[in-house]
Amino acid sequence: MSEKVSSPATSADHGPNDDAALLRELVAHLRKNRSALREEWSRRITDAALLSVMTPDEIFSEVTAVYDNYVDALETGSVEALEAYAKNLSERIIPRGVETHEVLGVVLLLRDVLARSLFEKYQRDTELLNRILDAYEPAANRIAVTVGVSFVQERERVIRQQQLAIRELSTPVLKVRDQLLILPIIGALDTGRARQLTEQLLHGIRENRAKVVVIDITGVPSIDIAVANHLVQAVRASGLMGARVIITGLSAGIAQTLVNLGVDLSMMQSVGDLQGGIEEAERQLSYAVTRTPEAPRDREA
Amino acid sequence: MTVSILKQRDYLIASVQSDLTDTEVIELRDALLSEVAKHRARGVIVDVGALDVIDSFVSRSLSTVARTNQLRGAKTVVVGIQPDVAVAMSQFGLRLDAVETALDLEAGLQLLDG
């Protein structure tokens, strides 16, 4: 964006050169009072208990960098350098638990501190003060928006990345015996995950030539109608590929939800816990698990 | 007729090689019904591994074959349904009534033997 830092309401009164001159004057003022304003800002951040996870020294060094970037952005009207810095800063502070309101609060505080210093300087000449503020406000607002948006974008990127990681880790299809798979599901199921789970289940059935699959949902806190239907579909699709599904670990709450929702569970076999499910699957596949007579003696020795 | 029906022991094996038109589906259905009678088969395996789509008409035709064969003492097994096809079928609520399903030809033969 190459938006000019001037207000349309006042541009009729004076030419763009005046605006540029005002902005230059403004920047010079901010440069001259750099240390005082910077300290004032960092003091107000501490007073407002923002960025509480950072030490005062850290705050001060970030404050310095942001202040300089801020004044540069005011001077050039280009927010790209500031944007890059804000992204980089977000990357560093998001893992430490800095919240969106803190970041926005900090940027708005700087805006307030600078505006106040302008009021102080130009209080005798209201007309000049107005024109200075006309030049300052749009630029300052744009900077605040840029920093806020960069922070939120970075945060969303982190969230997306984590979702992807969770998704990849969360639905293992494990072979426990020939023709027998187990699929432990941990964590909340949403529609996307349920769909992915179905896909992995069906490919697992084909790869392992499974006849019976035990789906354990002990680790699922709750289920809604969409997810329940997805599960039912997964079970039906498995049936079409020649594999029976046993569901285990239905909590009382989930069982009640399913009944209340009226989900058709006639094609689903369900067994109380994972152990029971595996035993039932072994029975269906004619496995007999027996303990060898030596085993108890081993344990005693 | 694009689907050949082979006899193997007491079983008939129909292997579908490409997507079928409705007319071909009807031909296959009628051929299966008459061949079962002719060979006094005890089981029929239909391999649909090559199909990218199984629609309601195909499902219904397979169910019809299965129900009719049941009356004559022959089991029908559909094998080789692809994962994506299985998901689509369950999403659209298509059912294969009276039909048994198995992963592939080998599993289908085992099912009939067992």
Side-chain angles (χ1 to χ4, degrees), chain A residues 210-222:
Chain A
K211 285 264 173 63
V212 182
V213 183
V214 180
I215 299 183
D216 180 66
I217 58 168
T218 314
V220 179
S222 69

Side-chain angles (χ1 to χ4, degrees), chain A residues 104-124:
Chain A
L104 288 176
V106 165
V107 179
L108 292 177
L109 270 183
L110 176 57
R111 186 173 174 275
D112 296 346
V113 167
L114 299 189
R116 228 173 248 223
S117 98
L118 293 177
F119 282 128
E120 225 167 85
K121 180 165 187 219
Y122 298 104
Q123 59 187 335
R124 282 195 212 108

Side-chain angles (χ1 to χ4, degrees), chain A residues 112-169:
Chain A
D112 296 346
V113 167
L114 299 189
R116 228 173 248 223
S117 98
L118 293 177
F119 282 128
E120 225 167 85
K121 180 165 187 219
Y122 298 104
Q123 59 187 335
R124 282 195 212 108
D125 188 345
T126 326
E127 207 244 343
L128 183 59
L129 173 64
N130 271 332
R131 282 168 53 200
I132 287 270
L133 286 178
D134 280 339
Y136 169 71
E137 278 163 0
N141 287 351
R142 201 168 141 221
I143 291 172
V145 168
T146 305
V147 172
V149 167
S150 304
F151 182 80
V152 171
Q153 273 174 350
E154 175 61 21
R155 217 176 143 109
E156 279 169 359
R157 195 186 62 78
V158 170
I159 293 172
R160 270 198 300 276
Q161 210 175 24
Q162 287 172 344
Q163 269 177 342
L164 203 70
I166 292 172
R167 215 163 263 176
E168 274 170 7
L169 291 172

